[in-house]
Amino acid sequence: SPGLRWSIALLRSSGFGVDGIRTLQIVLLSGVAAIAGAIANRLSGMTAAVVAAILVLGSKAALVNATDLEPEIFLLFFSAVGLLLAMEDRQSCLSGQAGLPVLHTAAGLSFGLATAYRPVALLAAAALFVWFMVRRVKPIFFAIGFIVPVLAVLLVNRAMTGSMLLMDPGTVFYEGMNANATGYAGVAPRIVKDIEQTIPGSDTMHVAYRVVASRAMRRPVTREEANRYWSQKSLAFVTTYPIRAITLVLRKIRLLVSAHDAYDVPSMVLKDRSIGGLWISWALLVPLALYGIADRRSQIAVLLYSLCAAASPIVFFVTTRHRLPLLLGLALLGSIGGVALIERRAYVAGGLIVLAAVVLSILC
């Protein structure tokens, strides 16, 4: 993650230690809660704002992620900022119509920064670009804001490493979509794991993937070629065994909505076990958000963002880190659902939501 590498380098050079970076990430998570509250307030009033903030801060998985050095909290924060700014219109814009281009450019910039941390933000940015066009709002400002940080990252990567791409989406795609994949954390081939043990230094697994691709192609390969090689193997699995591939995707969808928090980083597992207290289950967030979708006050932008955030873990694999960006969408839709339950005194619907939460807690 270029964004995470640069952020840590900047923070360390500014005197931040590991504990300081963790504290900053917790502050950013609190910022996400505040931003979610601001969006929910616009959609459904102050009560919804309070509920949205509680749903974000009540997530144990979000706190665990915030205490580790992974890019997801930065991704979540900049996505939240971008969504808030993208939803500004002529009625809600405090600066008036003239200020909209600036705010929409800033929205694109925020999603561009989010993409620098994880490329999965690109999908949400593309969906919002289309949403701008459908609303007959000029998307050019949003696009310019998005392109600037993304282009800067690509050019710096090329200048410093000789390659624009530093991540390995092809290998991650293969780990989540192959004959042995479980739907949870990625499953690497045995040969990759064996070769990894013989390679010194860091980034050993990605190097092992390139070694296997190089031996298969009988020549040295670039990072891009290795990613294409493993992506093609995944696509070959999908086309050769379509029933098994569909079954795997359905399993990922089930895991996406279940209560279980699947951690793929050992330090996160230890932190999860050490944190006590009562937390809001993911299994409650999902049915509450679905009830919120049925309410007329839900916004298309929030729905688009939520669908895009859900797509990434389904395409790759469902760990707590991968589904963390979806927390923002679920909190917003869930806040709308919560207000609707309170205002309508919908006891039957509330009981069904609780029942659904119990069922999703069993489907781990």
Side-chain angles (χ1 to χ4, degrees):
S1 171
L4 182 64
R5 287 177 178 267
W6 296 358
S7 296
I8 291 179
L10 176 62
L11 291 169
R12 293 301 295 268
S13 65
S14 302
F16 279 75
V18 174
D19 290 338
I21 296 174
R22 288 171 177 164
T23 302
L24 173 61
Q25 292 187 155
I26 294 173
V27 171
L28 291 179
L29 179 60
S30 301
V32 172
I35 294 168
I39 297 174
N41 181 50
R42 182 183 305 170
L43 296 177
S44 198
M46 183 55 67
T47 303
V50 174
V51 173
I54 291 174
L55 292 178
V56 172
L57 295 177
S59 171
K60 182 181 180 182
L63 178 60
V64 170
N65 275 271
T67 58
D68 218 296
L69 300 183
E70 293 290 341
E72 275 68 30
I73 291 297
F74 290 94
L75 165 64
L76 183 61
F77 175 77
F78 285 112
S79 296
V81 173
L83 184 61
L84 174 65
L85 296 174
M87 292 177 65
E88 288 285 353
D89 53 29
R90 292 179 179 85
Q91 287 72 36
S92 63
C93 183
L94 298 178
S95 306
Q97 184 174 349
L100 281 177
V102 176
L103 293 176
H104 290 167
T105 302
L109 179 66
S110 295
F111 273 104
L113 291 172
T115 302
Y117 287 93
R118 284 289 188 213
V120 296
L122 174 62
L123 184 59
L128 290 174
F129 180 85
V130 174
W131 178 66
F132 274 119
M133 291 194 297
V134 171
R135 294 171 61 223
R136 297 183 180 179
V137 176
K138 293 181 180 179
I140 184 65
F141 301 105
F142 180 81
I144 291 174
F146 177 81
I147 289 173
V148 169
V150 172
L151 185 61
V153 168
L154 294 177
L155 292 177
V156 171
N157 287 347
R158 183 61 181 268
M160 297 184 67
T161 69
S163 175
M164 289 188 175
L165 181 68
L166 293 186
M167 290 183 163
D168 294 88
T171 60
V172 178
F173 178 48
Y174 177 82
E175 288 183 352
M177 187 63 70
N178 64 71
N180 295 320
T182 64
Y184 278 129
V187 178
R190 179 64 179 272
I191 187 173
V192 170
K193 302 295 290 184
D194 289 344
I195 292 177
E196 182 188 9
Q197 303 302 317
T198 67
I199 300 175
S202 60
D203 198 29
T204 54
M205 177 172 286
H206 293 148
V207 173
Y209 270 111
R210 290 195 287 275
V211 169
V212 173
S214 178
R215 291 178 180 177
M217 300 173 72
R218 298 182 179 180
R219 61 177 177 82
V221 298
T222 63
R223 183 188 297 268
E224 290 81 359
E225 289 175 326
N227 275 280
R228 282 196 298 270
Y229 171 82
W230 290 105
S231 295
Q232 290 169 358
K233 288 184 73 66
S234 289
L235 295 175
F237 160 69
V238 172
T239 55
T240 306
Y241 305 102
I243 302 300
R244 292 182 64 182
I246 292 173
T247 302
L248 178 58
V249 169
L250 292 176
R251 186 188 308 152
K252 291 179 184 180
I253 295 174
R254 174 174 63 83
L255 298 175
L256 180 66
V257 300
S258 72
H260 181 63
D261 291 325
Y263 296 101
D264 59 336
V265 179
S267 58
M268 289 186 181
V269 177
L270 297 176
K271 292 169 186 173
D272 178 76
R273 293 173 180 174
S274 64
I275 298 176
L278 296 176
W279 300 90
I280 299 174
S281 172
W282 190 268
L284 180 62
L285 277 172
V286 172
L288 191 60
L290 291 175
Y291 186 72
I293 291 176
D295 190 89
R296 60 182 174 81
R297 287 169 293 192
S298 60
Q299 285 281 344
I300 298 300
V302 177
L303 291 172
L304 288 174
Y305 172 84
S306 302
L307 290 173
C308 293
S312 174
I314 293 175
V315 171
F316 297 103
F317 41 83
V318 186
T319 67
T320 303
R321 291 192 301 123
H322 283 80
R323 73 180 186 181
L324 183 63
L326 183 56
L327 174 63
L328 176 62
L330 293 183
L332 292 172
L333 296 173
S335 67
I336 296 173
V339 170
L341 287 175
I342 295 171
E343 291 180 349
R344 300 168 186 171
R345 297 182 180 179
Y347 301 114
V348 175
L352 291 175
I353 288 174
V354 172
L355 178 60
V358 173
V359 173
L360 294 179
S361 297
I362 298 173
L363 294 176
C364 292

